Amino acid sequence: MDFEEKTMKTEKIYEGKMLNLRIDTVELPDKKYSKREIVEHPGAVAIVALTNQNEIVLVKQYRKAVERELLEIPAGKLEIGEEPKETAIRELKEETGYTSNKLEYLLEFYTSPGFSNEKIYLFLANELIEGQAEPEKDEYIELVKVKLEDLIDMIDKGEIIDSKTIIGAMVARDYLSNK
Amino acid sequence: MDFEEKTMKTEKIYEGKMLNLRIDTVELPDKKYSKREIVEHPGAVAIVALTNQNEIVLVKQYRKAVERELLEIPAGKLEIGEEPKETAIRELKEETGYTSNKLEYLLEFYTSPGFSNEKIYLFLANELIEGQAEPEKDEYIELVKVKLEDLIDMIDKGEIIDSKTIIGAMVARDYLSNK
């Protein structure tokens, strides 16, 4: 079946530094019209960084949208013209100080396709070399390192509640156990 | 460390049927100001529905935000005053026709906490009874049933790229294998 929704009209509501908002008027398969509110996002990367001590590097930061601190894997937005792998190298260095001699692509996913086009490219960073973090001026980050099995436990206990971190932990576990 | 960002000003940009957009001016730990673009969302549920033939019920639908059809587990927004479990019962019936005699809470997560407060409550629906779907008038849905192990394969192959569906499959696999 073909359920494609043709765009009949697009209204730009907001263009910002991190996201844009637009409303599309679409034609449904029955020829009736409906509206779709869409958050445009440049896409992002997230990195499961595995230290030589077999620990995953997490970043703890305050997330204004949810009004609390969250523990997440390092991540960041794609800049214009940047390949996801370049973004992963840059963001890992900025947020954690680590560089990786072996960065592997795992998979990609949409975080919330019901209203946003945000896609996250997930990488596994091995063979890490420690260095100095270079956070952006409005980023306050604390590093936390946990064993992969403890990270899985923290998901079960509801202590890790960020989608990309849950996916990163579970996909990395499968990947590493199949190697 | 306390990285809390105090709200100094809030500007409402848009109030819609599915989401709102606001910009908060926040005070950072160093007392400088920054802006946070925030998409307000009522929250949602997603359901891993397991048939008596041990298949997971997926819904195929066109997602305007990403301009393609996606295969996802059934899901839907919380209505005002609704408990997540009620939403799960309602959305499962609306989208798939199934009712469940055993609905279990699995976990909850934020889909994209960098810019949105959308939280998804994930449930496992067992002991399903078939019935007639009741989709909303702008929803066009096709049901697809796959074995859990095939769903995991489809994730590995990049055929399932929706975050809640990836999390649902992996968490349900762990949960069912530990029973």
Side-chain angles (χ1 to χ4, degrees), chain A residues 33-102:
Chain A
Y33 284 15
S34 188
K35 298 211 184 232
R36 303 295 184 207
E37 297 160 337
I38 295 169
V39 174
E40 299 173 345
H41 185 284
V45 301
I47 308 113
V48 180
L50 190 66
T51 69
N52 300 331
Q53 290 74 44
N54 265 310
E55 290 176 319
I56 307 288
V57 183
L58 300 175
V59 295
K60 191 177 187 176
Q61 61 192 134
Y62 189 80
R63 290 301 203 174
K64 187 63 188 171
V66 301
E67 297 280 8
R68 57 177 288 188
E69 284 184 357
L70 292 182
L71 265 178
E72 304 172 33
I73 54 175
K77 286 189 300 295
L78 296 174
E79 288 181 3
I80 293 165
E82 207 177 32
E83 287 296 316
K85 195 162 186 172
E86 293 171 68
T87 314
I89 293 166
R90 180 176 57 71
E91 286 288 348
L92 183 63
K93 172 68 181 160
E94 283 178 12
E95 293 198 345
T96 72
Y98 282 105
T99 48
S100 164
N101 276 329
K102 195 175 163 206

Side-chain angles (χ1 to χ4, degrees), chain A residues 18-19 39 41 61-70 72 115 118 138 161-162 164, chain B residues 3-7 9-10 20-26 28 34-43 109-119:
Chain A
M18 185 171 180
L19 53 84
V39 174
H41 185 284
Q61 61 192 134
Y62 189 80
R63 290 301 203 174
K64 187 63 188 171
V66 301
E67 297 280 8
R68 57 177 288 188
E69 284 184 357
L70 292 182
E72 304 172 33
F115 68 88
E118 185 193 25
D138 65 349
I161 51 175
D162 166 57
K164 66 183 172 299
Chain B
F3 295 150
E4 190 179 336
E5 298 177 352
K6 256 181 271 174
T7 306
K9 199 185 121 190
T10 287
N20 303 327
L21 176 63
R22 69 171 207 264
I23 303 177
D24 283 359
T25 303
V26 299
L28 302 174
S34 189
K35 298 212 183 230
R36 303 294 183 208
E37 296 160 340
I38 295 169
V39 174
E40 297 172 345
H41 186 284
F109 54 89
Y110 291 110
T111 53
S112 205
F115 68 88
S116 173
N117 67 348
E118 185 193 25
K119 185 189 259 189

Side-chain angles (χ1 to χ4, degrees), chain B:
Chain B
M1 271 184 274
D2 182 10
F3 295 150
E4 190 179 336
E5 298 177 352
K6 256 181 271 174
T7 306
M8 308 313 282
K9 199 185 121 190
T10 287
E11 188 188 352
K12 288 185 181 177
I13 302 292
Y14 173 79
E15 300 201 19
K17 77 177 167 168
M18 184 170 178
L19 53 83
N20 303 327
L21 176 63
R22 69 171 207 264
I23 303 177
D24 283 359
T25 303
V26 299
E27 188 188 75
L28 302 174
D30 67 1
K31 304 296 175 192
K32 285 184 183 146
Y33 283 15
S34 189
K35 298 212 183 230
R36 303 294 183 208
E37 296 160 340
I38 295 169
V39 174
E40 297 172 345
H41 186 284
V45 301
I47 307 113
V48 180
L50 190 66
T51 69
N52 300 331
Q53 290 73 43
N54 264 310
E55 290 176 319
I56 306 289
V57 183
L58 301 176
V59 294
K60 192 176 186 177
Q61 62 191 134
Y62 189 80
R63 290 301 202 174
K64 187 63 189 172
V66 301
E67 297 281 7
R68 58 177 287 186
E69 283 183 358
L70 292 182
L71 265 179
E72 305 172 32
I73 55 176
K77 285 189 300 295
L78 295 175
E79 287 181 2
I80 293 166
E82 207 177 31
E83 287 296 316
K85 195 162 185 172
E86 293 172 67
T87 315
I89 293 165
R90 180 176 56 73
E91 288 286 349
L92 183 63
K93 173 67 180 160
E94 283 179 11
E95 294 199 344
T96 72
Y98 282 106
T99 49
S100 164
N101 276 329
K102 194 174 163 206
L103 189 68
E104 297 170 271
Y105 167 84
L106 291 176
L107 52 71
E108 58 200 72
F109 54 89
Y110 291 110
T111 53
S112 205
F115 68 88
S116 173
N117 67 348
E118 185 193 25
K119 185 189 259 189
I120 291 185
Y121 300 82
L122 183 70
F123 291 87
L124 179 68
N126 303 277
E127 302 179 13
L128 299 184
I129 299 150
E130 262 183 272
Q132 190 62 43
E134 299 154 359
E136 294 190 55
K137 65 180 184 342
D138 65 348
E139 277 185 331
Y140 286 82
I141 288 171
E142 186 186 335
L143 293 194
V144 177
K145 294 178 207 166
V146 297
K147 295 269 179 206
L148 183 54
E149 59 265 33
D150 294 334
L151 183 56
I152 300 284
D153 269 354
M154 291 165 82
I155 294 169
D156 289 343
K157 288 180 186 151
E159 294 166 9
I160 298 285
I161 51 175
D162 165 56
S163 68
K164 66 183 170 300
T165 306
I166 297 174
I167 292 174
M170 294 195 160
V171 171
R173 180 186 53 176
D174 282 10
Y175 182 79
L176 294 168
S177 71
N178 289 334
K179 276 225 281 202

Side-chain angles (χ1 to χ4, degrees), chain A residues 25-38:
Chain A
T25 302
V26 298
E27 189 187 74
L28 302 174
D30 66 1
K31 304 295 176 195
K32 287 186 183 145
Y33 284 15
S34 188
K35 298 211 184 232
R36 303 295 184 207
E37 297 160 337
I38 295 169

Side-chain angles (χ1 to χ4, degrees), chain A residues 96-115:
Chain A
T96 72
Y98 282 105
T99 48
S100 164
N101 276 329
K102 195 175 163 206
L103 189 68
E104 297 169 271
Y105 167 83
L106 291 176
L107 52 70
E108 59 202 71
F109 54 90
Y110 291 109
T111 53
S112 206
F115 68 88

